[in-house]
Structures are given as structure tokens and as C-alpha cells.
Amino acid sequence: MSGRTAGRRIVLAPDSFKGTATAAEAADALARGWRSVAPDDELVEKPMADGGEGTLDAFAVAVPGAERVPVTVTGPDDRPVAAEWLRLPDGSAVVELALASGITLLDPLRPLDAHTLGFGEAIAAALDGGATRLLLAIGGSSSTDGGVGALVALGAGFHDATGARPGLGNRGLGVLERVDLGAARALPAGGALILSDVTNPLLGPDGAAAVFGPQKGASTDQVAVLEANLVHLVHLVPDGAAVAAAPGAGAAGGTGFGLLAWGARMAGGAGAVADAIGLDDALDGAALVITGEGRFDGQSAAGKVPSEVAARAAAAGVPVGLVAGAITADASGFAASASLSELAGSGAAAMADPLRWLEAAGAELARAHA
């Protein structure tokens, strides 16, 4: 190791390893492994996300001075859920749908009746807490309610023929007669950005019901009901057809649609997170950046975290190391790579103790980049 340059800056910017390690845990394990080989290097942890589960945690680690604010909300099956939002030093608030209305909160799934009320309650809490800008991470949804539950919590009016509010969830959309978005709370001065890597429209064969309904427990017949009810909602929302056709309107069971109708803007996933956590500044002068995800495959180049980090690193002239649970696509564009499955001997072994093998991967990349 005598030929190694001491004191280099190494940036650690992995995504979560879905179901096994959060992005923050992955970055920390990689750091431990790297330090075991190169203790003099400066390690900058910038865990990444694409707007899905774990986005709030990634911001909490990557942004100095970020403050978690606990809040109890109504879960997707009406039970109370202990959630949180994140206050950033610049006045922005990160609100993650998965924590308040996520699919992991349900057992069993409720394809027609799950809702996003709790997500809206968390957004309202952030506004009450003085948020000047909203960063809304909407991956991991349990519902196909078109974002109506969230809008209800923000004060929008949804009425049936009697003037009453229908039940929450997609089922209630079918009996709507009037929608009043003007009654909703105003966006904060800095606006609201939707963080999502999903570009599907709301309706049709690529829409929320057809593509994501089955993942949320919907049968073929129920998918048809979900779609019909979303179509009915679109007809009642001002400029609904245009909003429904926008990229990302189908994200999170149509929560993208509801937020766009409220006035939020679609900001993309990994790119918006990278901007918000200051990844470009961290890359300036770095000797290497390490990124990764659970599985690096043919889809990884389509806006996923490793491709976003690699593109920004290329612009900064910084080489990139890749870590993944499994690497099934060409990784020759990376300066070095490490597969947890190969290090552990099998995918099952890697998943059984991911932090151990992430640490081993960090050490391997440190040796490769000595």
C-alpha cells in the first residue's frame, strides 16, 4: 500500500439494496470496509434514492443539519401510523409516501380501499411546521386512489351526489360527482417537487391500474374497476385529461396525478435527489465515487441511481466504482466493480447478511483503487 496517495476523498453514493439494506446502511458498511484498507482517506457518505422507499433516510444522512419530525397519521387501512417528515436547513421538507401510506404497512393488501390520506396528513404537518418547499417522494404506494386521499387531507373537496365525501380509496372515486381543488391548501412559496422514477401516465395499458394494480393485490376484474374509477376522476378534475397524460401521473397509484393537479411539479427521481443532497459539490475533487443497488441489470441505465451517479461523475472527471447484490449487465464502464453474490458465494448468502458483504465489497474496492 506504500504507493497509495494518502488523504484522498472518496464519495459513497449507493441506492438502497431493496429489502436488505437502506442506502444509509449500505454507505456506512462500504465506509467501514474501505477504512479497513485505507484508513487515511476522507469518506463522504451521500446515500442516494430515486424517490422510493428510503428517500427520507438518504436525505437525513446526506444533508447536515437535517431534522426528523415525528407525526402520527392515518395509515392506508385507517389505523394510526407513526411516521415522520424531514426538515432541511434551507426550509425544505422531505415527505415520503412509503412511511405514511406505503404498501409495507398493509397485511392483507386492499386494492380497492387503500388510500393516501396519511401522506397528505404528513404533507400538511410539514406545511404547519413552516416548510417553504416540499420534496415529495412517492414510491412504495399501497393504493390506486389517484392521490385523492392526500388531497382530502390538504383540504380539497370531493363530493358525491348527496354532497357528502365518499369513502377513501379507489372505490370511492366511482361515486364522485364534484371536485373542488380550489379549497386545498396553497403550495409553499418554493413550490412542491415530486420525486419519482416512474414515468407512466395515469390511464391506459401503461397506466397506474394496469401496470401497478396487480402489485397491490388487484385481480384482473379489479384492475378494470380501478381503471374505470380513475377515468371517472379525470373527468371531474380541471384539465384532467392533460394532467393524466403527463409523464409520472400514474406514479404511486395516481398520486402523481393528484399532486400535479394540486400544482406540484414532476422533478424525476435520482436526478432531483442528487441535486438536493449536493452530490455535484461532493464529487468536486474526489478521487472516486462508489455507487450501487441491489441488482445491476439492463434496467439500471434507465434513470436508476447508478446511471445518474455515473453520469455526474463523468462530467466531473471522477472514476466510478460499482457495488451490487448481483451484476447481470455489462459493468465495463466502471473503474471497478464488486458483486455481493460473488463475494458471498451465492445470492442467498449475500442477502442473509448484506452488511457484512457490503463491508467486504468496500474493502475490495479500496484494494482495487490503491
Side-chain angles (χ1 to χ4, degrees), residues 44-366:
V44 179
E45 296 184 30
K46 290 288 184 179
M48 280 283 293
D50 57 13
E53 193 172 348
T55 296
L56 187 146
D57 286 339
F59 274 94
V61 171
V63 180
E67 176 192 0
R68 295 176 186 268
V69 182
V71 59
T72 299
V73 301
T74 306
D77 58 359
D78 301 324
R79 292 182 295 176
V81 169
E84 60 186 357
W85 59 276
L86 189 73
R87 181 184 285 120
L88 302 184
D90 68 356
S92 299
V94 182
V95 187
E96 183 179 313
L97 182 149
L99 294 175
S101 306
I103 194 167
T104 59
L105 300 173
L106 289 183
D107 186 15
L109 300 177
R110 305 172 80 225
L112 291 172
D113 298 303
H115 56 75
T116 54
L117 182 68
F119 180 49
E121 291 172 340
I123 295 171
L127 292 173
D128 291 342
T132 57
R133 182 176 69 141
L134 295 170
L135 300 171
L136 305 175
I138 64 173
S141 169
S142 62
S143 71
T144 312
D145 75 345
V148 166
L151 294 176
V152 165
L154 291 167
F158 294 87
H159 310 281
D160 63 17
T162 71
R165 191 193 78 193
L168 294 171
N170 180 278
R171 194 190 306 270
L173 305 183
V175 296
L176 282 175
E177 291 292 334
R178 184 167 60 87
V179 172
D180 180 11
L181 297 184
R185 298 181 62 157
L187 272 71
L193 299 180
I194 304 166
L195 308 182
S196 172
D197 67 346
V198 172
T199 58
N200 302 66
L202 180 66
L203 304 175
D206 297 322
V211 175
F212 305 111
Q215 299 173 13
K216 298 169 185 179
S219 66
T220 301
D221 289 344
Q222 287 174 327
V223 166
V225 173
L226 295 174
E227 177 78 3
N229 289 343
L230 289 173
V231 168
H232 184 65
L233 171 66
V234 168
H235 289 156
L236 297 173
V237 171
D239 299 319
V243 177
T255 302
F257 170 80
L259 294 175
L260 288 169
W262 182 43
R265 294 189 295 112
M266 191 65 65
V273 172
D275 287 341
I277 68 173
L279 181 62
D280 290 340
D281 288 343
L283 290 173
D284 186 19
L288 179 74
V289 58
I290 299 174
T291 188
E293 61 183 348
R295 183 178 184 85
F296 184 79
D297 56 22
Q299 299 299 312
S300 297
K304 299 294 186 180
V305 163
S307 65
E308 182 68 28
V309 173
R312 289 172 183 251
V318 177
V320 185
L322 172 70
V323 176
I327 299 175
T328 61
D330 181 14
S332 60
F334 293 90
S337 62
S339 162
L340 305 191
S341 296
E342 292 183 6
L343 289 171
S346 70
M351 292 184 70
D353 196 357
L355 298 184
R356 171 190 174 188
W357 298 110
L358 279 161
E359 188 170 336
E364 178 167 291
L365 290 179

